[in-house]
Amino acid sequence: MRKLLFSVLCLGLGGLLGCDCGDDDTPDGDGGTTDAPPADAGPSCDFAVTTLGAGGEGSPPPDGLGGEGDLEIRSDVLRAVFSAVDRPVGVAASGGTLMDLHLLGQDDHLNELSQLGGVSQGVQVAYTEVEVVEQEPTHVVVEVRGHVAPQPAGEGETPSVTPDPGTDIAVVTRYEFRCGEQRVWIDTTITNTSEVEYVTDPAFAVMDVMLWGDNSLIPFCPARGQGDECAPFDISNPLPGLVESAYIGSTGSVLGTPGTFAFYIDDPTTDTFIGVHDPQVSAFGFPVLFGNETLYPDDTRSLRRVMVVGDGADAASATDIALDALAQEGILEVGTVTGTVTPADGGSFSSDPYSRPLVVLATPGAGDPTDPEAWTPVTMVRVGEDGSFSARVPAGAISWELRSRGAPPKRGEGGDVAAGATLDLGEIAEDPLPLLEVEVRDITSGTASPLPARVVIVGADGTESPRLGPSFGGSPARNVVLTDGMGDAAVRVPPGTYDVYVTHGPWYTIVRERITVDSGTDATVSAELQSLDVIPEGFLTADFHVHSGASYDSSLPIDDRVRAFLAEGVDAIVSTEHDVIFDYAPALAAVEETVPLEWQGRLRTFVGLESTGTIPQADFPHTTGHHNAFPLEVVDGAHKNGAPSDEYVDVATLYERLRALPSPVSAPLVQLNHPRSNRYGRVWIGYFDSCGFDPTSALDEDGPCFAATGPMGTRPWDFDAMEVVNGPSDPASFILMKRDWYALLRQAPDDQLPIGTANGDSHRLTATAGYPVTVLRTDTALAAFDDAALATTVEGGAAAGSLGVFVWATAQETGGSGDPVEPGRTPLTATSGDVTLTVRLAAAPWIPVDELRVLVNGEVVERLSVADGDWTEPVDPFGTDGVVRYEGTVDVTVGADAFVTVEAGFSVPTVADLDGDGVVDATDNDGDGDIDMDDLDAGGIVTPAAPELLSAVVPGALPIAFTNPIYVDRDGDGAYTPVGTPLPE
């Protein structure tokens, strides 16, 4: 029985999980590179081997990234692109990785396939050469050479390899493309070329890292109770998360032309992979020695496998090929399962493959053959337009599960499949489902007109919320559906009782209607929405952090990305895909052809980028967070459309690279994203978490956060904007990030005063667009709001952050007669120190607001709430009255130059820093009147419960609003002089 050892490998946004298990420690001959198995004699074809040049057509969507300088291989079946060795792509330590792989004429669904030289993130592979070593009419072999590159150990961590091997542990990966095959034959060998014995913990092994993305494809694990829900890796209980199988599939694409992948073993010494999988990253390889392992001089480790490219939106189009190959090798016996699904409405299925049913085929376990917890899914197959399906399966008993959009799974016992034979399941009938039709109209003008909107269907009275489609795909997704351009939507839902919410964003009324449907009853909801005077004229709403299927961790179709923002009434969005420059304008143009004339020109799109470092480096043993740049220009035919390399560089150097990108303005703006965020092992998403920024201590120019200096003198504090609110469902991060922001405004290194922004960072349709947004004060009409206007407005600081709530303030010297000053760079001169703020706070009646806070230099000096006489509280959340909650003046006094901000929304609880690092840790969670370690154990920072209506359409959201600073010139010199001290504890 193999010994099993676990190790967590965390890499990228979703985390990389890895394991080492079993025993395979046999050196291979003289320790040299093991040749790939020779190609069988077969057909000849014209292979094209090209180093891509400038201005080429580039790679196809949604995940194609290849461009100038990358190596392209074309057979008569496949197209593959290897990144240049100096251009890391996704989660790998270098280039030289397989970044595009697809059937000719089809879309690309590969984010990246790379290798690790061991079973932990700390044993990376750095490739230094890519060479075509064989080119024959029957096959082409690409050889990628490099070495194991141990990553620096963080504080308190043990080095992954001792002693430091430098470049002595060689790695060679060979990719063979054969004429007429939709397969790639892959062979990797690690060799200790030195006289030194190296010890690693965990052990050496060749591990493939498959970057799936966020459900654009997800792994399909042929293991008990898994399938397309591979067991999660839990460090406290690791063994159930390990998958041992002869092949690994994927579920199939959810956007673009259909595609899928599979891997299978091609090695006489073993018949299984062992690895771990999650919806973003898989790490899998051969069994390796338990515990610490020594790699002796001339020792090798090898991995031979085959990668299959399928043409279906399922697993079967790739796993069919893998299973047949395994049968030829004698590892499995294989048969075929066929059948026909009949539509519930008696018609035919759609030509759109993504809307057609899937059939999961599984080997049943003991007991109930229809119990999915006991069976082993072996493949899943998409039905054709005629309802027919066929898939290869391991011989033996077979059960099935029918998955139709919107319907609960339907299961049955199929029978036995003999080796080489076919089992026909006959007809499987879909169960009829009630139809829910929704019609949305805008009655603001007094005449009903079509309104793009979002519909959220929530289970009521014991009914579960429906699953209308995959939560990671386009509309409908989970329990959310977008209307078409005419404001209409139709979906089928299981019988039950539901609350149907209809919304056009937080600046409109909301409709909620309860319906009950059964198998013979349909339902219609007619929703009339009305615009509310939440945000006055002279403002535009914008989101500077937006993702779609062009990002490796999203699979939301581009058209639906645009439609989602139209449905929420947002004015402007910036595309900020991970490490690829992208333009939403073509998608918007296509969508606008489907909407009424009055809804054309309601949304502006801008081009940007999210630079996403994933590899620790010697000078920074944790990753350096995420950073946006905008507006930019797409560089057609360039690697990643012109996105720069962001690995192995400090933040200051990265900012210089971002500002040097082609842009329609003199230099793009740079935004620090989510400075406080999650971490995955040594991948830290928030830069301030990673570097240990303490907002209550004097800024240390020589410390890890700010010591770096770019070649042109840029420092890490030299960003134009920073997110104060990121996404709708983490209000605790708002508490942390606003403290960081205020600390920087107080100290203003090199006079840098970053603009505070609020952005959605939305990757899915169910992670709601429009919550939050940055509200820009501008006299430029939306139709004329171009790149220059965007850059000028943001740089000027006339902005506010909004998650469902709008707040704005102007200031005058008390008793003065000058023009009011708004948030922005121009200070208010008030030599008396007395300042009168005029504040407007507004929100839709369905969004509650608990309090308004006035702050001077980041410290609260005034707090207003519903208990105050001038506060308006709406009576009817579904009505139109009570939008303006507070409109009045607040007097403040400053003793020196200062900045004044206004916040509103949920009541921010008292917090405390329990470990003295300047970062608050907890609230009073046990109610004993103080904040101590018991409160940390009881949940840390706990915010109030989300309000009912807002949470129904934006789960987990709390109302938030803030203004950018109004700078007060107290000493009369015409400028703002920073306080110069950190944020008080």
Side-chain angles (χ1 to χ4, degrees):
M1 180 177 180
R2 292 188 176 95
K3 299 177 181 179
L4 300 178
L5 172 70
F6 66 90
S7 170
V8 177
L9 311 174
C10 293
L11 196 56
L13 283 179
L16 169 61
L17 303 178
C19 69
D20 74 295
C21 356
D23 183 3
D24 182 15
D25 187 39
T26 304
D28 184 9
D30 61 5
T33 299
T34 302
D35 291 337
D40 297 330
S44 298
C45 56
D46 292 328
F47 281 91
V49 178
T50 308
T51 298
L52 297 174
E57 65 180 23
S59 294
D63 298 316
L65 299 174
E68 182 182 5
D70 298 323
L71 176 66
E72 178 189 68
I73 308 294
R74 284 180 184 259
S75 71
D76 60 330
V77 176
L78 290 175
R79 175 182 181 271
V81 177
F82 294 87
S83 64
V85 293
D86 60 346
R87 295 174 176 171
V89 177
V91 298
S94 71
T97 58
L98 190 57
M99 62 188 298
D100 295 332
L101 180 65
H102 56 90
L103 299 171
L104 295 182
Q106 299 291 98
D107 287 340
D108 180 71
H109 296 291
L110 177 68
N111 289 304
E112 184 180 44
L113 177 71
S114 61
Q115 287 78 45
L116 294 175
V119 293
S120 77
Q121 181 195 356
V123 192
Q124 295 279 341
V125 171
Y127 287 118
T128 56
E129 297 177 274
V130 178
E131 181 183 1
V132 177
V133 295
E134 295 181 37
Q135 184 172 353
E136 303 292 340
T138 57
H139 68 283
V140 166
V141 176
V142 177
E143 192 167 275
V144 188
R145 298 181 289 270
H147 58 272
V148 166
Q151 301 304 297
E155 184 177 354
E157 296 178 342
T158 301
S160 300
V161 181
T162 54
D164 185 345
T167 61
D168 286 344
I169 303 177
V171 182
V172 178
T173 298
R174 293 167 58 96
Y175 298 85
E176 181 177 352
F177 301 86
R178 301 181 181 180
C179 186
E181 292 193 359
Q182 57 195 80
R183 293 182 282 186
V184 184
W185 303 74
I186 309 172
D187 176 25
T188 300
T189 300
I190 298 175
T191 306
N192 181 0
T193 64
S194 75
E195 298 301 317
V196 178
E197 297 178 1
Y198 293 107
V199 177
T200 181
D201 184 16
F204 281 109
V206 180
M207 302 291 290
D208 274 324
V209 178
M210 183 68 174
L211 177 58
W212 300 106
D214 185 17
N215 299 289
S216 50
L217 297 173
I218 62 175
F220 183 90
C221 298
R224 179 173 175 173
Q226 297 188 36
D228 62 334
E229 295 183 359
C230 297
F233 190 85
D234 180 358
I235 187 126
S236 65
N237 186 25
L239 296 185
L242 302 176
V243 175
E244 182 173 6
S245 59
Y247 66 97
I248 298 163
S250 72
T251 53
S253 56
V254 297
L255 70 163
T257 59
T260 191
F261 299 106
F263 295 84
Y264 65 89
I265 290 293
D266 181 52
D267 192 282
T269 64
T270 188
D271 57 6
T272 57
F273 292 114
I274 295 184
V276 291
H277 307 269
D278 76 10
Q280 289 198 12
V281 181
S282 288
F284 51 91
F286 281 3
V288 295
L289 187 68
F290 179 86
N292 292 358
E293 182 184 359
T294 299
L295 190 70
Y296 295 98
D298 295 329
D299 269 3
T300 67
R301 302 289 181 271
S302 295
L303 172 64
R304 294 177 181 174
R305 64 280 191 204
V306 179
M307 183 177 183
V308 182
V309 186
D311 61 357
D314 57 14
S317 59
T319 58
D320 280 358
I321 297 172
L323 285 164
D324 281 341
L326 292 169
Q328 291 174 5
E329 294 177 13
I331 295 174
L332 295 174
E333 292 186 325
V334 174
T336 302
V337 173
T338 62
T340 301
V341 177
T342 58
D345 60 8
S348 60
F349 289 113
S350 169
S351 60
D352 172 20
Y354 300 119
S355 66
R356 299 200 295 262
L358 279 163
V359 178
V360 178
L361 301 173
T363 301
D368 183 357
T370 64
D371 178 9
E373 296 298 319
W375 68 20
T376 299
V378 293
T379 193
M380 57 196 306
V381 57
R382 185 81 64 170
V383 308
E385 290 184 53
D386 63 355
S388 66
F389 63 89
S390 176
R392 306 289 274 165
V393 299
I398 283 292
S399 296
W400 56 266
E401 177 181 275
L402 175 64
R403 297 181 182 178
S404 297
R405 180 164 286 188
K410 184 176 182 178
R411 303 183 182 100
E413 183 178 3
D416 289 321
V417 183
T422 297
L423 170 68
D424 186 2
L425 298 179
E427 290 192 357
I428 301 174
E430 282 191 317
D431 293 329
L433 294 177
L435 180 68
L436 169 62
E437 296 182 286
V438 182
E439 176 186 88
V440 188
R441 298 295 181 261
D442 187 348
I443 60 170
T444 303
S445 66
T447 301
S449 60
L451 180 67
R454 181 167 58 97
V455 180
V456 183
I457 305 168
V458 179
D461 288 348
T463 301
E464 293 185 357
S465 295
R467 186 177 177 85
L468 308 174
S471 63
F472 41 81
S475 176
R478 203 167 61 195
N479 65 331
V480 175
V481 59
L482 301 176
T483 67
D484 61 19
M486 302 305 293
D488 299 328
V491 291
R492 294 197 177 273
V493 297
T497 299
Y498 303 96
D499 285 329
V500 179
Y501 295 84
V502 182
T503 174
H504 183 70
W507 325 131
Y508 266 66
T509 55
I510 192 172
V511 165
R512 179 180 64 190
E513 183 172 330
R514 179 160 292 188
I515 63 166
T516 298
V517 292
D518 57 35
S519 57
T521 304
D522 297 335
T524 299
V525 172
S526 296
E528 294 182 337
L529 303 181
Q530 186 172 342
S531 178
L532 301 168
D533 186 24
V534 178
I535 300 179
E537 292 292 326
F539 292 88
L540 296 176
T541 58
D543 191 330
F544 308 140
H545 195 166
V546 179
H547 293 276
S548 72
S551 282
Y552 67 74
D553 60 348
S554 173
S555 52
L556 179 60
I558 313 300
D559 285 5
D560 278 3
R561 173 74 294 164
V562 171
R563 292 174 60 213
F565 279 96
L566 276 174
E568 305 293 354
V570 178
D571 297 315
I573 58 175
V574 178
S575 61
T576 54
E577 312 291 0
H578 290 292
D579 287 335
V580 58
I581 301 172
F582 197 80
D583 188 359
Y584 293 155
L588 176 59
V591 168
E592 286 191 326
E593 293 180 358
T594 69
V595 301
L597 183 63
E598 62 266 28
W599 273 96
Q600 297 177 17
R602 295 286 191 99
L603 178 66
R604 298 300 307 274
T605 63
F606 298 88
V607 176
L609 164 74
E610 182 169 25
S611 182
T612 310
T614 60
I615 305 298
Q617 52 194 277
D619 294 335
F620 207 90
H622 300 112
T623 47
T624 53
H626 297 178
H627 312 265
N628 280 358
F630 63 92
L632 300 175
E633 294 176 349
V634 172
V635 183
D636 292 329
H639 177 85
K640 299 188 291 191
N641 288 344
S645 177
D646 52 18
E647 305 293 356
Y648 301 111
V649 297
D650 56 70
V651 169
T653 301
L654 174 62
Y655 289 170
E656 292 184 354
R657 292 183 180 182
L658 294 175
R659 289 197 172 99
L661 293 174
S663 172
V665 298
S666 58
L669 306 177
V670 172
Q671 174 180 277
L672 173 62
N673 290 345
H674 42 67
R676 304 289 180 180
S677 189
N678 297 328
R679 69 187 72 167
Y680 303 94
R682 293 165 65 200
V683 176
W684 296 50
I685 309 302
Y687 179 60
F688 284 170
D689 287 323
S690 180
C691 69
F693 178 54
D694 179 356
T696 65
S697 296
L699 190 145
D700 182 1
E701 295 191 13
D702 297 319
C705 289
F706 302 113
T709 301
M712 300 176 64
T714 299
R715 302 299 297 272
W717 55 67
D718 187 22
F719 42 84
D720 302 285
M722 67 172 281
E723 288 185 330
V724 179
V725 183
N726 173 270
S729 58
D730 187 13
S733 70
F734 164 65
I735 297 173
L736 300 175
M737 293 190 298
K738 72 169 184 168
R739 297 177 77 252
D740 295 331
W741 182 44
Y742 289 147
L744 290 174
L745 294 177
R746 289 174 66 97
Q747 300 184 72
D750 284 348
D751 297 323
Q752 292 296 313
L753 299 169
I755 305 305
T757 62
N759 302 301
D761 196 3
S762 172
H763 289 69
R764 300 188 183 190
L765 194 67
T766 52
T768 311
Y771 300 85
V773 291
T774 301
V775 184
L776 302 174
R777 173 70 177 92
T778 176
D779 293 325
T780 302
L782 181 61
F785 197 70
D786 57 12
D787 295 289
L790 172 67
T792 299
T793 304
V794 175
E795 285 178 317
S802 171
L803 202 168
V805 180
F806 173 75
V807 67
W808 194 249
T810 60
Q812 289 179 293
E813 185 171 20
T814 304
S817 58
D819 292 334
V821 172
E822 296 182 306
R825 302 293 189 187
T826 302
L828 167 71
T829 298
T831 55
S832 67
D834 296 325
V835 176
T836 297
L837 300 175
T838 299
V839 179
R840 184 181 191 271
L841 169 63
W846 57 276
I847 300 179
V849 183
D850 296 332
E851 65 179 18
L852 180 145
R853 301 176 295 276
V854 178
L855 300 91
V856 174
N857 295 329
E859 299 182 82
V860 176
V861 297
E862 188 76 28
R863 195 183 301 262
L864 301 174
S865 70
V866 69
D868 298 282
D870 295 330
W871 193 282
T872 299
E873 190 72 5
V875 176
D876 179 8
F878 300 99
T880 59
D881 295 332
V883 169
V884 178
R885 309 301 172 85
Y886 179 84
E887 194 163 28
T889 60
V890 178
D891 292 329
V892 298
T893 299
V894 300
D897 286 9
F899 65 89
V900 180
T901 56
V902 180
E903 301 174 358
F906 73 94
S907 180
V908 175
T910 301
V911 292
D913 171 21
L914 299 178
D915 58 8
D917 64 355
V919 181
V920 294
D921 307 302
T923 49
D924 181 13
N925 301 325
D926 58 12
D928 65 357
D930 63 4
I931 303 175
D932 52 27
M933 296 305 296
D934 291 338
D935 298 300
L936 187 63
D937 295 338
I941 299 175
V942 178
T943 53
E948 178 188 6
L949 290 177
L950 178 59
S951 186
V953 296
V954 190
L958 288 175
I960 297 172
F962 67 90
T963 69
N964 268 270
I966 297 173
Y967 295 103
V968 180
D969 169 25
R970 173 68 169 81
D971 58 17
D973 65 355
Y976 162 69
T977 301
V979 178
T981 58
L983 194 70
E985 296 184 11

